[in-house]
Amino acid sequence: MSRPGQGVMLPVSGLGFPPQNVARVVVWEWLNEHSRWRPYTATVCHHIENVLKEDARGSVVLGQVDAQLVPYIIDLQSMHQFRQDTGTMRPVRRNFYDPSSAPGKGIVWEWENDGGAWTAYDMDICITIQNAYEKQHPWLDLSSLGFCYLIYFNSMSQMNRQTRRRRRLRRRLDLAYPLTVGSIPKSQSWPVGASSGQPCSCQQCLLVNSTRAASNAILASQRRKAPPAPPPPQPPPGGPSGTLAVRPSATFAGAALWAAPAAGPAEPAQPPGAPPRSPSAPGGAPTPGQNNLNRPGPQRATSVSARASIPPGVPALPVKNLNGTGPVHPALAGMTGILLCAAGLPVCLTRAPKPILHPPPVSKSDVKPVPGVPGVCRKTKKKHLKKSKNPEDVVRRYMQKVKNPPDEDCTICMERLVTASGYEGVLRHKGVRPELVGRLGRCGHMYHLLCLVAMYSNGNKDGSLQCPTCKAIYGEKTGTQPPGKMEFHLIPHSLPGFADTQTIRIVYDIPTGIQGPEHPNPGKKFTARGFPRHCYLPNNEKGRKVLRLLITAWERRLIFTIGTSNTTGESDTVVWNEIHHKTEFGSNLTGHGYPDASYLDNVLAELTAQDPKAGASGFRSETRRPGLGQQV
């Protein structure tokens, strides 16, 4: 690909580890779920450095300087960030850069995301962009840093080399990052009494000590599965080249365990035949439990690859991973560990086993139709809204006029039934008086007629009506599910809890598309993540009944809808619509698998709630009730 002008392929020189008495800019960073080190702001870094000067073994409350970071605390002893409301722990590190670089000048480079917000680049990338900017290069290629982007300084834009998509770019002046000179404070153990050398016995120190012991177990369990760290890269002969991809920096990251009481997890074992470790020995790994702000890269790699042994008889508590799998939430597991450690009882928090989402491979010849259910596939096409009946006519169909309403609230407008509807003056329909009250035929709940007309007009307008109090459905309810395909068949495998029964596999597939007039944002594109989605039922009488009801619900567009995902927070995407499915085949770690003795009964209740007269043959429509012309 041709490149305009005299661009730059990241010509930088290696910085290496700085001498002990040279000024350096300090940038604190945290490791995200994509294994990228993300910098804290300069304000937060100043705050961390101030706490570090007072107590190199303490904790930093980030919410004191940034309201968006209220749940987060950094423990300087373990060099981990802890989120209090979820229990999530992430490594942090203390990174050093040249004072003449971007962080030393308070320069921040940011790109504009899809939501219109500005996101800062990783610090190494920010420094590289600033170096090219200062040298007046017209463009910058980030491919050697692992990113397929080109930076154009004339237009202040970033372009994806594959998709050709452009994003806005900006250079912002902010507070300069803190500067440090001289050697780093020596590590100290935690906690130590003032004079006796014994652990402090105050309530606060006891709580902190037990908290560290619980978190110790989390870190130890993570290290047991950590792969051995690769050896540090060796510089090429003759010194650093002029086309290095990344500017090396002096990084100090923490990975040591907290000092734990005797009942806690054991320290990492030393390799057989290795000499005793000393914090001051050159090239030796610091002792676990000590502050590791001074630890260089090779020593950190040794510590990360160390394995911690679990004493026999210590109960293991499986904790959810960052993706949400596992039976125990991290915050709940952390509190459990705190309580057990405070009581002097051992506990080990371990990673949860992975769920078994799919059955073993099945050949086409082994796939059979479901007995008693015709066909193996149902398709739904894009349905445009038909010219619906007058909302007033739909409401009148299912209501009976109440001549003398009781003196109680209408639960729609919250006005008294004996007074006019709260929608008087807001909604006008000929022949609908605001004081007119009716009773729904089956459930008997009473509302202003004008209130029900307003509720129906704001809904799907499919000719059905749902009581806002008890959710009873009148008519044939349909949904807003996008077009797609539903397949169902038998596979020769059994679900847990149904050893002698084959399995019904349901496959839903919905492509991305454009929202229709019945959707939240007509004309806007919607996404369909995670399709095709596989669901499972046992091939017994109750399982086949659930399948028949699911087929009817699919044909009525009730299985999915377009909305905001509770898992990712993404809007305008296809989501489940209040009918639970089992998507985990061979386990029940996520709560969406088997064995689950009550699932079939629960999902039958959910399906029949769409129409209380639903039976084994499918949903039925509510019969017409006396109209408002008949008084009760």
Side-chain angles (χ1 to χ4, degrees), residues 229-252:
Q234 299 297 327
S241 169
T243 58
L244 291 178
V246 182
R247 175 192 295 251
S249 59
T251 303
F252 296 85

Side-chain angles (χ1 to χ4, degrees), residues 147-347:
F147 297 94
C148 57
Y149 296 111
L150 290 172
I151 303 295
Y152 294 101
F153 294 108
N154 293 335
S155 59
M156 291 298 284
S157 63
Q158 165 193 286
M159 186 186 74
N160 188 311
R161 299 178 62 178
Q162 295 179 351
T163 65
R164 317 298 295 179
R165 181 179 180 182
R166 287 180 179 261
R167 295 181 184 271
R168 289 200 299 165
L169 186 75
R170 76 176 183 182
R171 177 178 180 266
R172 182 172 59 84
L173 292 178
D174 199 355
L175 178 69
Y177 279 82
L179 199 67
T180 183
V181 180
S183 61
I184 304 171
K186 293 183 179 180
S187 59
Q188 297 175 348
S189 60
W190 169 276
V192 178
S195 58
S196 64
Q198 299 298 323
C200 179
S201 59
C202 71
Q203 293 299 320
Q204 181 177 359
C205 286
L206 286 176
L207 177 60
V208 171
N209 200 19
S210 61
T211 304
R212 293 176 185 276
S215 300
N216 232 356
I218 298 177
L219 299 178
S221 65
Q222 292 175 349
R223 286 182 181 80
R224 284 196 302 276
K225 292 188 178 181
Q234 299 297 327
S241 169
T243 58
L244 291 178
V246 182
R247 175 192 295 251
S249 59
T251 303
F252 296 85
L257 298 180
W258 282 322
E267 293 183 353
Q270 190 172 352
R277 295 172 181 168
S278 172
S280 59
T287 305
Q290 290 187 328
N291 186 301
N292 51 15
L293 293 176
N294 304 348
R295 182 174 301 175
Q299 296 177 4
R300 290 196 310 275
T302 302
S303 175
V304 170
S305 62
R307 292 178 176 268
S309 59
I310 305 176
V314 176
L317 189 62
V319 183
K320 279 185 180 179
N321 298 324
L322 290 180
N323 60 5
T325 60
V328 182
H329 194 278
L332 177 60
M335 293 302 298
T336 303
I338 290 173
L339 295 175
L340 289 174
C341 289
L345 300 175
V347 65

